Structure formats: structure tokens, C-alpha cells
Amino acid sequence: MLTCPNLPPVTLVMDPRDDAAHTRAALAAHSLPKGRATIHPTPGTDSTLILALDVLAALGKPVPLTGYWRSDLFPAWTLCAAWILALPVTDLTVLRAHLLHARGLADLLALRACTGVRLTLVCHHRRPPAVLERALARTEHQLVDAEAVLSEQGESADDEGSASGALRGRWISLPALTTLLSWEDSPGCACTAPPTGECGFAPPALPDLTTKEVARRLHTGTAHPHLAAQLATACFTAASMSQLDTARVRDAALDGGTITLHDAHNVRQGCMTHTVPPWARPLLQAAVFAHLLATDTSSGKLFTDPFDARRLPRLTDFAEQLKLRPPQPPRPKRRKNTCRKLSPPTVWPLSNAHHYLPWFMPEDMKGCPQPPGHKPKRAPYGML
């Protein structure tokens, strides 16, 4: 991995009495919106993979990490670095540091060197163990007392609630996903695509409450940034799978502000550069960072896994796991005194609403409504 310049020194916090108040304060200081993460390593193991999963869990990602061999540590630690850079997390506090083994400490220091995060190691012993002293021997560090550091962090922590609680556990119908399925082939190109405003294209907008809940589900639904970024891009661009497949790493701005999707054959609306909403930018950035850290190149496809993960869900299956779907066909009215039937499977329509020549492309809506603003066009005279 790359090394950040001007790294802050590692802070070694000594808590010889293992004061429960200090541990509670460190855990209470955990706040991803404020850039702070606290890791409580899994006890009774010296596995560095488990330590990486502990870091991912503290970053709000589901574990265990699927798709990779358990003996391969590179994907897990690289994804830790990608998410830390993208969220971004500036302060990383690790409790029970006196129980960590040499390899785990080395991986934490490598993560610090790659991301530039301020690393705090809390040692609940009278003096640092020999393993910890050797790990910090060639690393700039400072020794501080737990009373001075952890108490201040606990006092500054606050309770972070979610404004999208009303939508928790419910299906969310997104008109932008109506045009996700496609049969056409959209090869990528190296053009400089105009912004969507110049093309007169406006994908369906999301209400604020729905946006917050969709963002929460995407951030907590997977540790694979390319999956979360791909579905997020479909939600704010109304792009098809074929258009999403054209995006290269270089097509996404490093700050996550824009994403270019190509349409070299002008099957849909042509190549366009979309503005990424603030809620989706960390997801796009994490996907970009994962590719750059893993391959050191920007020529790969953005929405593919840089580590060649196996058995990951398809995009539509991933959307259903998060309870996101296009608007569904109207359900028949239930007769009185009849049992309520199970919810039918999600219907994914084939829509030509955003095609340049809608009458030329077949569609199969399967009873689903078209996205807002769709105006059907008739075929020109002579083709009826």
C-alpha cells in the first residue's frame, strides 16, 4: 500500500487500572459522522483477519467478509483502508492493545501509514508489553495518561439518532430502478461527456427521508464498496446495467463529486457526466480507493471487485436484500375472511423510458408503472 506523508504520531494511552469508565468513554467517543472509530478487538484470537473484520465492523460494515479465501488478508485490510479514506475516518482508537500480537500491530501501523489516520492504542497494563514496545520502536509515538485523553473524548460524544426510522424494515420503491434492466450493449469510450444539465436529462428525485434511509442501507448493507457504489449510482442516475458497466475508475472523480457513464451507440441518452449527491459520494470514493489501492491503476471497471471475489450477489439480488425495488404492479384486493398471502417476488420490468428511440427497443413492464415524466412515443410513419 501507499504511504501518506507527515503521519501523526501514534498515541499510546496507559490505563494500568483498566478503569471501566475509561473504556466506556472510549466506546462512547465512537462517531463515524465526526470521523472517530473505536475498535474493541475480539478476545482470544491472534488472527489478523479477525482484527481487520473488527475494524470493518467498527466502520459500520457487515462481517464476516464474503467472497474471499480466509487465508487471504489483503482484501480485508485494503477495504479497511478504502472505507477509512472515503468516510472519512480521522481518528482510530484500539482498545486492549496489550493483547495484540506482532502481526496485528504491524497491520494496524500499515493501515495508519496508508490512510494517515490518527492511531490511538489503549494499553490496560502498568507498562507496555515487549511486543508493543518492539512494534513502536521505529514509529514516532507519544505516551499519555488515560485520564487526560479518554475522559475528554467521552464528554464530547453525543447521541446520534436516525431521522429515517419510520422507513426501517419497509420496502422502498424507487422509480429510478425501473430502467435498471437492459438487453443492449453499451461499450465504454474515452470521450469527455457533457453534464446531464446540457443534455436535458433529469432522473427521478428522491424525498429527503427516503434518501437518508437508502443511504443508511447502502452504507450498512455490504463491506464491498463496488456493490454499494453501483446500486447507489443506479438510484441517482436511473442508468441501466449496461451503462453502469461502462464506468471505469477514471470516470469517477477522486472526491466522488461526478461520475461519467458512457453510451457510445446513443442507444439511451448518450454519454453523460452525472453530479453525485453528497450521500453517495463516500460510496463512490470507497470504490475508487479500493481499486487504486489494490491495482494501482485507474483503467479497470469501477463497479467490479478488484480482488475477484466469488459468489457475490447480482445487483438486483443485492437491491432486494436491502429491500429496494422499482414500483411494483398493483396488488389485487384481498377478499374478506381470507388469509393474507405472502408478498409476491419482486418484479423487475424491462423499460425503454430513457431510450433515445423508445419505439425501437422492446419493453416488458410486467404491470409495473413507468417512471415519472415518461411520455410514450409512436414509431415514425412507415414503421407501424
Side-chain angles (χ1 to χ4, degrees), residues 263-271 355-357:
D263 181 20
H265 293 163
N266 287 324
V267 175
R268 294 210 169 204
Q269 303 291 335
C271 303
H355 283 78
Y356 181 65
L357 300 175

Side-chain angles (χ1 to χ4, degrees), residues 238-250:
S240 66
M241 286 184 177
S242 60
Q243 289 176 293
L244 295 172
D245 287 342
T246 65
R248 302 274 176 176
V249 178
R250 65 169 69 97

Side-chain angles (χ1 to χ4, degrees), residues 9-10 21 36 54 63 97-98 109 125-126 183 187 193 212 224 232 266 323 325 328 332 342-343 382:
V10 176
R36 300 196 301 259
D54 291 334
V63 293
H98 61 281
L109 293 177
H125 266 197
R126 294 179 181 272
W183 300 117
K212 292 178 181 179
H224 298 282
N266 287 324
K323 289 193 172 182
R325 64 185 180 185
Q328 298 295 286
L342 296 176
S343 300

Side-chain angles (χ1 to χ4, degrees), residues 137-328:
R138 291 178 293 180
T139 303
E140 183 182 1
H141 64 281
Q142 56 185 357
L143 192 66
V144 299
D145 182 70
E147 191 69 32
V149 177
L150 299 183
S151 298
E152 294 179 1
Q153 292 181 354
E155 291 174 359
S156 64
D158 59 353
D159 185 22
E160 297 159 2
S162 174
S164 60
L167 297 176
R168 294 287 181 95
R170 297 173 55 183
W171 281 95
I172 297 179
S173 296
L174 303 176
L177 297 183
T178 304
T179 53
L180 183 62
L181 291 188
S182 63
W183 300 117
E184 76 271 8
D185 180 25
S186 295
C189 60
C191 70
T192 302
T196 54
E198 295 182 7
C199 301
F201 178 75
L206 296 177
D208 291 340
L209 191 64
T210 302
T211 298
K212 292 178 181 179
E213 177 61 13
V214 169
R216 186 195 67 82
R217 295 184 188 186
L218 287 168
H219 276 279
T220 60
T222 182
H224 298 282
H226 74 283
L227 264 181
Q230 187 178 23
L231 185 54
T233 303
C235 291
F236 68 80
T237 63
S240 66
M241 286 184 177
S242 60
Q243 289 176 293
L244 295 172
D245 287 342
T246 65
R248 302 274 176 176
V249 178
R250 65 169 69 97
D251 290 321
L254 195 58
D255 64 354
T258 59
I259 175 71
T260 299
L261 301 180
H262 298 281
D263 181 20
H265 293 163
N266 287 324
V267 175
R268 294 210 169 204
Q269 303 291 335
C271 303
M272 285 185 291
T273 298
H274 299 261
T275 300
V276 181
W279 63 267
R281 291 177 186 177
L283 303 174
L284 270 295
Q285 285 182 287
V288 171
F289 287 135
H291 276 276
L292 295 179
L293 292 172
T295 65
D296 196 25
T297 179
S298 61
S299 60
K301 289 189 174 183
L302 178 62
F303 300 130
T304 58
D305 185 73
F307 313 103
D308 297 326
R310 300 166 298 130
R311 298 189 300 274
L312 291 184
R314 297 180 302 174
L315 188 60
T316 52
D317 293 335
F318 176 57
E320 292 182 40
Q321 290 176 14
L322 303 187
K323 289 193 172 182
L324 303 177
R325 64 185 180 185
Q328 298 295 286

Side-chain angles (χ1 to χ4, degrees), residues 49 53 56 62-76 79 222-224 226-227 305-313:
L49 176 60
L53 297 183
L56 284 173
V63 293
L65 192 62
T66 58
Y68 309 119
W69 296 104
R70 292 187 177 183
S71 58
D72 190 0
L73 304 178
F74 184 63
L79 292 181
T222 182
H224 298 282
H226 74 283
L227 264 181
D305 185 73
F307 313 103
D308 297 326
R310 300 166 298 130
R311 298 189 300 274
L312 291 184

Side-chain angles (χ1 to χ4, degrees), residues 21-31 38-40 93 95 150 153 157:
H22 294 158
T23 300
R24 286 196 297 266
L27 293 173
H30 176 86
S31 174
T38 301
I39 291 89
H40 201 298
T93 301
L95 299 172
L150 299 183
Q153 292 181 354

